[in-house]
Amino acid sequence: MAQYARGAAAVAVIRLRNPPVNALSWLLVTEPLISFSLTVLQALEDGLKRADADPSVKAVTICGENGKFSAGADIRGFSSPRKQGLGLGPIVSLIERSEKPVVAAIEGIALGGGLEVALGCHYRIAHVQARMGLPEVTIGLLPGAQGTQRLPRLVGVPAALDLITTGRHIPATEALKLGLVDEVVEENTVEAAIRLANKLIGQPLGPRRLSLKPVPKLPNMEAFLSEALAKVKKRAQGCLAPELCVQAIKAATEQPFADGVRKEQELFNILLTSGQAKAMQYAFFAERAVEKWTTPSGASWKSASPQPIRKAAVIGLGTMGRGIVTSLVKAKIPVVALEQNLEYLNMGRNAVMLLLEREAMKMEQGAQALDFHNPARLQFAVDFDVLRDVDLVIEAVFENMALKKEIFSNLSRICKPEAFLCTNTSALNIDEIASVTGRPQQVIGMHFFSPAHVMRLLEIIYGRQTSPTTIATAMQLAKVMKKVGVVVGNCFGFVGNRMMFPYSQQAVFLLEEGSRPEDVDQALEDFGLKIGPFRMSDLAGLDVGWRSRKDQGLTGPSLAPGTPARQRRGYRYSPLPDLLCEKGRFGQKTGKGWYEYEKAGGRTAKPDPWVHSFLCEYRNAHQIKTRFIDQEEILERCLYSLINEGFDILAEGIASGPEHLDVVYINGYGWPKHRGGPMFYASTVGLPNILAKLQKYSEIHPDIPQLRPSAFLKKLVAMGSPLLNDWMSHLHKQSNKL
Ligand SMILES: CC(C)(COP(=O)(O)OP(=O)(O)OC[C@H]1O[C@@H](n2cnc3c(N)ncnc32)[C@H](O)[C@@H]1OP(=O)(O)O)[C@@H](O)C(=O)NCCC(=O)NCCSC(=O)/C=C/CCCCCCCCCCCCC(=O)O
């Protein structure tokens, strides 16, 4: 909807109205208070025509309801069957053609189609706190309402390329520097726009019509665009949208406006029907669905209020602790950072300061804004006594249950009774940690991902006794730290690492059977994963998993004598990673792991002939016949075993829906967003296909339980493979085919 009114005697005001973000819906929406039904686009078009037809109207202002211009096209509409053929591009042209000056009053946000509407206007005034951008690329599309043709004409090709291919939102001050807006105001923006519109009455509009302007020339346009295309392709890892964005901008530089618009439409339609856009739009809504958490006992935002965190503490300044401190400082929460002795404290302090300096350099107001040299903002200590007045503690020490229990028992004694106690464990039992405290209801897992100040994911793990208030507080803290909090239940490895286990296990089994680390990594990276399992293992350090396997009694001195080399507890086991560790090959840190590196701490992985002959010797020693394993098998065994574990997680109620698993994988494990997350991907492959392949591989490898199809997957297939958003409703339904 849009409201039409008079802002001044001669100025008509068209106010976009579609709460909460004034999305430009082209679906029919019924407005219950006033007795008509209109789409936002239809109403905008009607408003423009009405202003044009009314001789007493001499100028127009377009603004948005509730201090927000518009978040662009209604994303839900892209996957709904089309109701009407009303496009946004023709309306933007209509605005631009108007003989009466049109001024956009940009408050809050002008994103995507919203900004394209503003680009059709003859002038743009923005409030100083407004943010603008063309984020279509982040949902698998391009600015398909002539934005790829108008923006380069206004701000030049380099700036347009940057904005359109990254989708980043920029503040009004940056928009002013780029020439995207004409004026930035701190006062009432709509009133300022009306005043400007009044002043413009009668002035020539030709020079203000962007479609009539040439694209500013660059001396080396062709080379510049080819380089940009190569860069964007490399970064996109199989995602189509950034590449097509560049092609659309290239068309703007080579063709007249109308032909460029036709090219833009053609590319837009390719993206719209590619499947990638659907996956990325699913991911957009999945992230928002996960934010509205619930637990099996019915706790949710509705039943719990987050408590304010005025001061926090972090225990342990290893890699994770340093990142967590940095995240808290960036979120402007005063922090106390604690280490066990002065030597570790000084090392940790230096590392944190370096991280903060780097973060400050990326910010508009730099170090001043973070104020981390102020001890009231960031304090370092070795004495637990400083924790007496903190509202929340995040423990980030070594992954060892005995150590964590000792710390939590101390925290329970020292911290004020209402303080929340959080652990950054990546796998350990939250209930066991909580059991040593006198306040298990205030104990919760906050599993950050490395580097913690960069990665968006935060798994929030509730234990048996964790209170809804504690969950709400942790979720609120995630939001303040600009992270995506995902509430999950307590089990070994929680959601992310639990699903990762069968995946990494398959990767190693494939090496036993004939693959090389680089074959497996390449197949998975070609699929779109940011980093394959062996490059990842080298980066994280092979010793991390080795220590955990020793603690579990799977290897090392606690292993019972006579245990077969390739079997544990009756199932298949690969000792390959243990053997590499025994040889001191811990990955990047030692310069050798699954690959070799230029030096200890080096980052460039080179396939290692030593590993190849080691694998041959290993296969000979265990009489394993080497076979050629194709890409299809690599992908199916690694990905389907991960997905299979996901179905078990859902069946056990560890996560409340498939979108939780997908959000975890996209934001914490480098899963390609254009494939929508593992469970969404499973739905696109088809559940019967996944089931059939798991059955096949499980028959070939009966000693690998992770390949046995999950009962929930079988049930969903028997129920006719319902749509992903209906899966959970089938969890407890009877199936007569089972
Ligand atoms: C920054 C935000 C706007 C706000 O963030 P925040 O304050 O944190 O709040 P959120 O929780 O994120 O959002 C609040 C609720 O609003 C919902 N929301 C937000 N944006 C949209 C949207 N654009 N559409 C629908 N819903 C939206 C969100 O889900 C929340 O609701 P709920 O709580 O989940 O219920 C932030 O939200 C944000 O960044 N939003 C996305 C902005 C964005 O990506 N905009 C670009 C959209 S795409 C676009 O504009 C494309 C334009 C060009 C093409 C136009 C073509 C139009 C006609 C097409 C015809 C179709 C067929 C053509 C093919 C053919 O011709 O054949």
Side-chain angles (χ1 to χ4, degrees):
M1 299 127 275
Q3 192 188 40
Y4 183 91
R6 280 301 177 84
V11 183
V13 177
I14 301 175
R15 196 178 291 270
L16 305 170
R17 185 146 56 102
N18 187 13
V21 291
N22 300 325
L24 301 170
S25 166
W26 57 91
L27 301 176
L28 218 54
V29 191
T30 307
E31 171 91 53
L33 294 178
I34 39 177
S35 58
F36 60 83
S37 299
L38 271 188
T39 71
V40 179
L41 291 188
Q42 184 66 64
L44 174 56
E45 187 181 15
D46 288 355
L48 288 164
K49 288 185 173 160
R50 188 168 157 188
D52 184 49
D54 184 343
S56 69
V57 169
K58 307 284 182 209
V60 179
T61 286
I62 302 179
C63 61
E65 180 92 333
N66 281 335
K68 290 174 187 151
F69 191 78
S70 167
D74 184 337
I75 300 170
R76 281 180 216 280
F78 291 119
S79 45
S80 317
R82 256 177 93 190
K83 295 271 187 322
Q84 287 183 350
L86 193 63
L88 181 58
I91 296 178
V92 177
S93 293
L94 188 70
I95 298 172
E96 195 192 75
R97 279 200 310 273
S98 168
E99 290 302 334
K100 302 176 181 179
V102 185
V103 180
I106 302 175
E107 296 171 298
I109 40 162
L111 299 172
L115 185 57
E116 289 174 299
V117 165
L119 287 172
C121 298
H122 305 113
Y123 288 84
R124 286 158 290 280
I125 293 194
H127 188 264
V128 67
Q129 275 162 4
R131 299 186 77 81
M132 281 149 266
L134 291 173
E136 287 86 342
V137 71
T138 64
I139 52 165
L141 295 173
L142 53 75
Q146 309 175 357
T148 64
Q149 305 304 299
R150 277 199 181 82
L151 191 65
R153 286 174 160 80
L154 181 62
V155 300
V157 172
L161 259 177
D162 168 41
L163 292 182
I164 293 176
T165 61
T166 63
R168 72 188 179 94
H169 302 182
I170 58 168
T173 45
E174 187 178 343
L176 184 66
K177 277 188 207 143
L178 290 176
L180 179 55
V181 296
D182 301 290
E183 205 181 322
V184 170
V185 295
E186 293 191 30
E187 56 181 311
N188 184 313
T189 315
V190 180
E191 282 171 13
I194 293 169
R195 269 200 311 278
L196 175 66
N198 243 326
K199 266 200 250 163
L200 295 168
I201 293 169
Q203 289 194 17
L205 295 175
R208 305 297 305 181
R209 294 191 172 106
L210 296 179
S211 69
L212 304 181
K213 279 169 78 102
V215 174
K217 295 244 175 309
L218 288 179
N220 51 351
M221 186 71 87
E222 218 180 304
F224 178 81
L225 285 168
S226 316
E227 207 176 296
L229 186 62
K231 255 197 227 155
V232 151
K233 262 179 142 169
K234 190 165 171 215
R235 214 174 44 210
Q237 289 186 294
C239 180
L240 258 177
E243 186 183 334
L244 269 56
C245 285
V246 179
Q247 286 184 31
I249 296 168
K250 187 164 187 275
T253 66
E254 292 169 348
Q255 298 174 26
F257 185 82
D259 294 343
V261 166
R262 266 190 290 280
K263 182 72 183 172
E264 179 192 89
Q265 274 309 301
E266 188 190 304
L267 296 168
F268 182 82
N269 285 331
I270 293 174
L271 289 174
L272 194 66
T273 51
S274 68
Q276 294 195 356
K278 198 171 169 203
M280 292 173 87
Q281 287 156 26
Y282 159 82
F284 174 86
F285 289 113
E287 202 174 288
R288 278 144 189 90
V290 159
E291 210 262 330
K292 303 178 180 79
W293 60 277
T294 50
T295 64
S297 61
S300 71
W301 284 124
K302 286 188 199 124
S303 60
S305 312
Q307 296 304 298
I309 303 302
R310 295 186 191 92
K311 188 172 180 186
V314 176
I315 302 185
L317 289 178
T319 312
M320 293 309 293
R322 295 167 190 179
I324 299 170
V325 172
T326 305
S327 296
L328 289 164
V329 173
K330 278 174 71 184
K332 309 240 164 82
I333 296 174
V335 195
V336 185
L338 206 81
E339 251 301 351
Q340 54 178 309
N341 60 40
L342 282 175
E343 186 196 341
Y344 285 3
L345 188 76
N346 285 334
M347 261 165 35
R349 184 205 317 259
N350 292 343
V352 167
M353 288 303 185
L354 200 67
L355 286 180
L356 285 167
E357 298 284 358
R358 283 194 203 137
E359 290 301 304
M361 268 160 50
K362 294 186 215 154
M363 297 173 73
E364 274 167 58
Q365 289 126 340
Q368 259 180 343
L370 292 181
D371 197 18
F372 55 88
H373 293 290
N374 177 353
R377 279 289 180 86
L378 175 59
Q379 185 188 347
F380 292 88
V382 285
D383 187 350
F384 264 66
D385 265 357
V386 293
L387 304 180
R388 287 191 189 282
D389 66 339
V390 301
D391 301 307
L392 176 140
V393 184
I394 303 173
E395 162 277 309
V397 303
F398 196 63
E399 198 71 334
N400 175 286
M401 182 56 91
L403 177 61
K404 291 197 190 263
K405 278 172 140 177
E406 188 191 322
I407 289 174
F408 273 74
S409 146
N410 285 338
L411 291 176
S412 175
R413 206 166 27 81
I414 289 163
C415 295
K416 61 184 179 187
E418 60 275 26
F420 298 96
L421 309 181
C422 317
T423 169
N424 174 49
T425 176
S426 58
L428 299 179
N429 189 335
I430 305 297
D431 291 328
E432 194 177 337
I433 297 173
S435 70
V436 298
T437 71
R439 56 180 98 173
Q441 72 286 357
Q442 283 151 251
V443 175
I444 195 161
M446 287 186 88
H447 177 204
F448 290 78
F449 288 72
S450 184
H453 60 295
V454 176
M455 297 293 286
R456 291 184 76 222
L457 179 63
L458 185 55
E459 265 185 324
I460 292 177
I461 308 108
Y462 59 89
R464 245 195 329 264
Q465 298 187 62
T466 308
S467 71
T469 304
T470 308
I471 303 177
T473 305
M475 277 300 274
Q476 181 63 26
L477 183 59
K479 209 171 175 176
V480 174
M481 289 191 288
K482 298 202 167 65
K483 305 231 173 263
V484 187
V486 184
V487 173
V488 299
N490 184 23
C491 63
F492 189 74
F494 317 129
V495 163
N497 284 347
R498 177 168 160 185
M499 287 168 77
M500 182 65 13
F501 171 66
Y503 161 91
S504 324
Q505 191 194 42
Q506 285 305 311
V508 178
F509 290 159
L510 288 164
L511 297 194
E512 290 191 328
E513 293 165 35
S515 297
R516 296 171 307 169
E518 53 271 30
D519 302 329
V520 177
D521 281 345
Q522 198 57 56
L524 288 155
E525 286 165 17
D526 286 350
F527 174 80
L529 281 160
K530 287 226 160 51
I531 181 165
F534 295 109
R535 264 188 262 277
M536 184 65 220
S537 166
D538 273 0
L539 176 71
L542 274 78
D543 50 325
V544 179
W546 194 31
R547 216 166 25 231
S548 161
R549 289 191 296 280
K550 280 192 210 161
D551 286 349
Q552 294 173 62
L554 294 169
T555 190
S558 55
L559 186 65
T563 307
R566 298 181 56 233
Q567 219 183 66
R568 296 292 182 274
R569 297 161 196 161
Y571 296 118
R572 181 163 163 191
Y573 177 85
S574 173
L576 277 173
D578 302 334
L579 294 173
L580 289 197
C581 286
E582 283 166 20
K583 293 183 189 308
R585 298 183 68 111
F586 292 166
Q588 288 188 4
K589 62 176 91 161
T590 57
K592 285 183 192 338
W594 298 106
Y595 293 90
E596 65 174 333
Y597 298 84
E598 63 279 20
K599 57 175 192 255
R603 291 174 172 221
T604 318
K606 251 186 23 193
D608 189 348
W610 182 90
V611 171
H612 300 156
S613 45
F614 166 73
L615 288 174
C616 283
E617 283 163 28
Y618 174 89
R619 291 183 201 119
N620 289 339
H622 293 284
Q623 287 147 14
I624 306 168
K625 199 161 170 282
T626 304
R627 63 187 179 89
F628 170 75
I629 300 172
D630 63 14
Q631 231 189 358
E632 191 181 340
E633 180 173 347
I634 295 174
L635 289 182
E636 288 172 353
R637 281 181 55 189
C638 293
L639 300 181
Y640 294 2
S641 58
L642 177 151
I643 289 166
N644 198 37
E645 192 69 37
F647 281 109
D648 276 350
I649 286 174
L650 293 178
E652 289 169 28
I654 295 293
S656 31
E659 62 282 358
H660 288 61
L661 279 46
D662 288 333
V663 170
V664 164
Y665 263 77
I666 291 173
N667 292 287
Y669 291 83
W671 183 280
K673 193 157 109 180
H674 62 270
R675 294 196 190 262
M679 306 318 277
F680 180 87
Y681 175 66
S683 75
T684 62
V685 173
L687 300 192
N689 296 330
I690 305 261
L691 176 60
K693 287 294 165 89
L694 282 168
Q695 271 159 344
K696 174 183 132 182
Y697 291 123
S698 158
E699 275 161 28
I700 302 171
H701 305 281
D703 55 350
I704 309 179
Q706 289 77 9
L707 288 174
R708 285 179 212 156
S710 150
F712 186 36
L713 167 62
K714 286 203 248 179
K715 180 173 182 169
L716 288 173
V717 173
M719 295 254 176
S721 303
L723 292 175
L724 176 133
N725 48 8
D726 280 338
W727 289 358
M728 296 314 277
S729 64
H730 290 273
L731 195 51
H732 303 294
K733 270 192 200 153
Q734 287 300 326
S735 154
N736 52 13
K737 291 194 196 150
L738 281 180

